[in-house]
Amino acid sequence: MDDRRDTAEIGLIGLGTMGANLALNIAETGHKIAVFNRTDSRTHAFVEGAGDLAAMIVPTTDLAAFVAAIARPRRIVLMVPAGKAVDEQIKALRPHLDPGDVIVDAGNSDWQDTGRRARALATEDLDFLGLGVSGGAEGARNGPSMMAGGSDRAWSAMKPVLRVIAARFEGAPCVAHLGPEGAGHYVKMVHNGIEYADMQMIAEIYGLMRDGMDRTATRIGDSFARWNEGPLASYLVEITAEVARATDPDSDTPLLDLIRDSAGQKGTGRWTVIDAQTRAAPLPAVEAAVTARVLSGAEDLRQQGAEMFGGTEPLDLSDTDLESALIAGKIIAYAQGFALLSTASREEDWSLPLPRIAEIWRAGCIIRSAMLDDMAKALNEAPDAQLAFAPAFADQLRAHMPALRRTVAAASAAGLPVPALASGLGWFDTLRQARGTANLIQGLRDRFGAHGFERVDRPGETDLHGPWNAG
Ligand code: 6PG
């Protein structure tokens, strides 16, 4: 293996699908890159498969040679599984590094871990950048959307490379320095939360067409393809059409019908929901999506339930209603995500640039969609206002909510599950009710636990009680 010294401008550890693609992307933009992987065979295979780009790659088989191959101050990108592997890799690297070197964690790390790592490395004058990278394998290779958090020095060191490898929206690179420490990974986590809700709502609309309208996967794919030409234009709707229309070559039937209905998760959706609840800034559409994924895994229970209570009624909904329902649901899911970002930004003192986040999500990432351009504009006008109430989106919700209402009602009457769409509707209806029903909750809490309440006719007086505890 090559152990040329100081020849690479940057280094990357972890040649899994994402790491390998990111390394090729970096090499293609003219940066010589040193690479290292836990298993040498993968490093060999990577270089062999790199074609013309192999000349830009410095393969190494031990960490000392890897570090020595990178020009100082070193920039080292980690693309290893989130969690323990990141800590282990940093620990192994540390003795080889010099003050001013920069480590970039480009995995889906927990934002709190990123903060902890950044603070620990800072004590040795090492810089750390927590980089949320979205776009899957294709994005990593051709241009991802990237959300950076860390010191100004780490950002300055990485900015030139990140700007050239990023996806572009109308020429502008989809990467930004969003704040210190874990800010970038936090934003990526919320991105994934929105991704969960977006996918779940799409899957629910698919389910209504499959189970309530007796449509084939191919025909369902055609509807999504058509919708992708309108306000729903987005990567997820586009690939839904592709996935639904795909044929299994062995059986010549729609592949989608053969895929097991149990979805996995790596954790970012669940983290989003937990974090949101701890900040009292809940995102019910994401909660519903995370729950739906968990329940998708309870196959035996669902089988038992189907035998005991199964059966659905046919559904009478137009394609226009389904499209509209998805538009409304999508606005709600994104609005909930941006509201969480706004709360976290305030609480963590990050000053997250919300319009900029919408801008860098317009290309490269999994939730890229035409709608994000309008969201960026709305957030530019009122960064901390509830996005669903911004004039452009309020108008859209007025137009599309009736269809979401009809869809949820019809699905419910037919016995078909639409938990994310229904929770979006519930959230919206809660927010348009000036006088809610928590007066009863307060009355009950006081009745059973003397928790106290306030009265609308006696402003300023607190800890009042009802007559029930008098005697
Ligand atoms: C992206 C994706 C990507 C990945 C996540 C989510 O933005 O490119 O979010 O990071 O798909 O790991 O995966 P799970 O669905 O397994 O949680």
Side-chain angles (χ1 to χ4, degrees):
M1 282 262 163
D2 200 325
D3 71 342
R4 281 169 288 172
R5 302 197 156 244
D6 275 14
T7 53
E9 293 166 68
I10 190 163
L12 183 139
I13 297 179
L15 292 171
T17 313
M18 289 295 284
N21 281 339
L22 204 64
L24 292 175
N25 185 353
I26 293 172
E28 198 163 53
T29 56
H31 299 89
K32 197 158 210 176
I33 181 165
V35 295
F36 174 78
N37 194 70
R38 202 166 38 86
T39 49
D40 297 347
S41 54
R42 191 178 280 261
T43 310
H44 290 293
F46 170 69
V47 179
E48 268 160 35
D52 292 348
L53 291 176
M56 299 300 290
I57 297 164
V58 184
T60 61
T61 52
D62 70 85
L63 265 189
F66 167 78
V67 171
I70 307 165
R72 288 172 64 183
R74 302 181 185 91
R75 296 175 289 186
I76 297 175
V77 179
L78 305 184
M79 202 37 134
V80 299
K84 223 167 60 189
V86 177
D87 284 316
E88 284 168 6
Q89 200 56 67
I90 292 174
K91 192 170 166 216
L93 267 175
R94 264 167 106 144
H96 302 285
L97 300 180
D98 293 292
D101 287 351
V102 182
I103 299 179
V104 181
D105 174 11
N108 272 331
S109 286
D110 180 322
W111 66 278
Q112 281 166 308
D113 285 346
T114 302
R116 169 177 59 76
R117 288 167 187 145
R119 288 188 292 277
L121 288 167
T123 61
E124 292 177 29
D125 203 20
L126 293 170
D127 279 297
F128 193 59
L129 199 70
L131 188 68
V133 178
S134 179
E138 224 173 272
R141 178 66 184 87
N142 304 314
S145 168
M146 289 174 289
M147 297 139 251
S151 64
D152 288 342
R153 207 168 63 167
W155 168 245
S156 304
M158 284 305 294
K159 185 174 161 184
V161 180
L162 297 179
R163 283 176 68 89
V164 292
I165 65 166
R168 285 176 186 276
F169 182 85
E170 292 175 354
C174 291
V175 58
H177 185 209
L178 302 174
E181 298 188 349
H185 277 140
Y186 187 89
V187 174
K188 175 66 194 342
M189 175 189 80
V190 177
H191 165 284
N192 282 24
I194 297 172
E195 174 185 301
Y196 273 53
D198 204 344
M199 287 166 69
Q200 175 62 26
M201 288 177 178
I202 288 173
E204 289 173 10
I205 295 290
Y206 154 71
L208 296 183
M209 290 194 276
R210 185 190 68 182
D211 300 329
M213 299 159 95
D214 208 18
R215 295 206 185 158
T216 63
T218 316
R219 180 153 174 227
I220 295 170
D222 293 343
S223 294
F224 278 98
R226 213 172 36 253
W227 296 340
N228 195 41
E229 304 295 317
L232 282 176
S234 60
Y235 175 67
L236 283 170
V237 168
E238 178 194 328
I239 63 170
T240 298
E242 185 189 328
V243 170
R245 284 161 149 179
T247 303
D248 169 48
D250 296 332
S251 58
D252 206 30
T253 55
L255 176 63
L256 188 53
D257 294 341
L258 303 173
I259 299 178
R260 198 171 145 193
D261 66 329
S262 169
Q265 55 176 313
K266 296 208 189 74
T268 40
R270 190 172 55 235
W271 296 348
T272 310
V273 167
I274 294 169
D275 180 87
Q277 284 291 0
T278 61
R279 296 183 196 280
L283 333 85
V286 182
E287 283 179 32
V290 172
T291 303
R293 276 212 204 180
V294 174
L295 290 179
S296 79
E299 286 167 296
D300 290 347
L301 194 65
R302 290 192 287 114
Q303 184 57 42
Q304 204 185 332
E307 281 157 23
M308 290 174 69
F309 310 111
T312 55
E313 301 293 322
L315 199 65
D316 186 22
L317 281 169
S318 66
D319 261 37
T320 316
D321 266 355
L322 294 172
E323 179 186 16
S324 263
L326 201 48
I327 294 171
K330 198 176 171 87
I331 294 171
I332 288 170
Y334 283 55
Q336 292 179 357
F338 277 106
L340 173 59
L341 288 175
S342 172
T343 303
S345 174
R346 224 178 16 256
E347 289 188 3
E348 303 296 328
D349 203 15
W350 281 336
S351 304
L352 291 178
L354 297 197
R356 190 79 192 100
I357 292 170
E359 282 169 9
I360 63 168
W361 284 352
R362 289 178 301 184
C365 70
I366 302 294
I367 64 167
R368 62 188 183 260
S369 69
M371 230 177 243
L372 273 165
D373 198 28
D374 295 331
M375 291 185 175
K377 287 180 190 131
L379 290 164
N380 257 312
E381 276 161 32
D384 287 314
Q386 168 51 244
L387 188 59
F389 294 176
F393 290 100
D395 283 349
Q396 288 208 47
L397 286 174
R398 280 186 200 102
H400 296 294
M401 283 315 285
L404 178 59
R405 211 174 279 296
R406 281 194 293 278
T407 302
V408 171
S412 153
L416 291 165
V418 285
L421 291 168
S423 95
L425 177 60
W427 176 84
F428 179 76
D429 280 340
T430 302
L431 290 196
R432 61 185 202 95
Q433 196 174 40
R435 174 144 173 91
T437 54
N439 50 326
L440 178 59
I441 306 288
Q442 287 297 76
L444 295 173
R445 289 178 70 239
D446 188 58
R447 170 64 184 81
F448 65 64
H451 292 290
F453 51 72
E454 293 175 34
R455 291 174 57 133
V456 291
D457 58 343
R458 293 199 218 155
E461 293 180 45
T462 57
D463 205 23
L464 302 172
H465 298 281
W468 34 77
N469 293 324

